[in-house]
Amino acid sequence: MAERTKVNNAPIKWAQRSDSLYLTIALSDVKDEIINLSNTGLQFQGTSHDKKYEVNIIFYKPVNAMDSTYKVLPRSVQMHIMKKKNDDDKEVSEEDKDDNLFWPRLLQDKVLENNQVKIDWDRYIDEDEENENSGFDMSALDGGMGMGGMGGMGGMGGMGGMDDFGGLDDYGDMGDADSTNDDDDDDDDKDDKDDKDETMDTNVKNGNIEVDHAEPMAE
């Protein structure tokens, strides 16, 4: 009987703002990843250094999967997850609306959070420190994939960034090359004309011009 491959819990770091979460799955060189974000939780499977890892969590409150993004980076998988805006839900009580900002924790399951989740101190701020300039640095997610409707489509997180084709800029002046060739052709034509004129002048001076005289017509 084949031995079942052990699957490890992937370590998670997180930070938050009033409108969003920033999650980091702290695994390097992730391959064969499957990422499925719903409005209530996150499922992840992937391989790192020949070991299999997974994440299966339920968030403390609902999120907006459609507006969230992720990217698979060489040293981690990073996600920017938008919180659901309770003020758009008519069925939410006023009490819940007041609790629409900072969450007391990431997961509903306190035990799982203690075992698998750590605070991302590099991105952490206190709720009373938040202002319009204290949003997350999103540069690492440039070219990342949208997560809405993308569940199960692993391996696509790193496809962003068409800037890798920046070398094509070298071809941007091809039109100028054509123009230069046209100018060269014009110069050659001008040189040929000048040569002909010079030859004509020389022949005139030397009396070498031959004139064709028409034969008189027979009466």
Side-chain angles (χ1 to χ4, degrees):
M1 190 176 200
E3 183 179 354
R4 183 178 177 182
T5 303
K6 180 181 178 181
V7 180
N8 305 281
N9 288 329
I12 301 171
K13 297 191 298 182
W14 81 297
Q16 67 174 316
R17 300 295 185 267
S18 59
D19 63 343
S20 62
L21 312 170
Y22 202 108
L23 262 64
T24 300
I25 299 177
L27 298 173
S28 61
D29 299 324
V30 171
K31 300 177 181 177
D32 304 323
E33 70 277 0
I34 299 175
I35 299 173
N36 188 351
L37 176 71
S38 69
N39 290 337
T40 57
L42 171 67
Q43 293 179 326
F44 163 86
Q45 293 180 357
T47 302
S48 174
H49 301 288
D50 298 326
K51 294 182 179 180
K52 291 189 175 181
Y53 291 87
E54 68 177 5
V55 170
N56 192 358
I57 57 177
I58 302 298
F59 295 120
Y60 178 75
K61 281 193 169 186
V63 299
N64 183 348
M66 186 65 66
D67 293 336
S68 302
T69 58
Y70 79 97
K71 191 171 184 179
V72 179
L73 300 169
R75 295 187 178 183
S76 63
V77 179
Q78 298 189 16
M79 307 178 185
H80 184 235
I81 302 174
M82 302 304 298
K83 295 178 179 178
K84 182 178 179 181
K85 296 181 179 179
N86 287 338
D87 52 4
D88 292 338
D89 191 341
K90 296 180 180 180
E91 298 181 0
V92 174
S93 66
E94 291 298 326
E95 181 179 355
D96 286 337
K97 286 184 180 181
D98 292 338
D99 195 23
N100 190 39
L101 301 178
F102 272 54
W103 296 357
R105 59 182 185 273
L106 177 63
L107 309 181
Q108 288 187 0
D109 188 334
K110 291 183 179 180
V111 175
L112 181 60
E113 179 150 359
N114 289 335
N115 292 332
Q116 193 172 358
V117 179
K118 295 182 179 180
I119 294 175
D120 186 346
W121 294 110
D122 291 334
R123 296 182 173 90
Y124 174 87
I125 63 169
D126 285 322
E127 182 174 3
D128 56 6
E129 295 176 345
E130 185 178 30
N131 56 54
E132 60 182 10
N133 297 320
S134 59
F136 290 118
D137 178 2
M138 300 292 291
S139 59
L141 291 175
D142 286 347
M145 297 296 298
M147 301 184 77
M150 296 295 291
M153 298 187 68
M156 298 188 67
M159 293 183 64
M162 295 297 289
D163 292 337
D164 292 341
F165 293 90
L168 291 176
D169 291 342
D170 295 339
Y171 296 91
D173 296 332
M174 291 296 288
D176 295 339
D178 293 339
S179 176
T180 301
N181 290 336
D182 291 341
D183 292 342
D184 292 342
D185 292 340
D186 292 341
D187 291 341
D188 292 341
D189 293 341
K190 183 178 179 181
D191 291 341
D192 291 342
K193 184 176 182 299
D194 291 342
D195 291 342
K196 291 179 181 179
D197 291 344
E198 184 178 352
T199 301
M200 179 68 73
D201 292 342
T202 301
N203 289 334
V204 170
K205 291 178 181 179
N206 296 333
N208 294 328
I209 298 298
E210 296 182 0
V211 179
D212 292 335
H213 298 282
E215 295 292 337
M217 295 181 62
E219 293 184 0

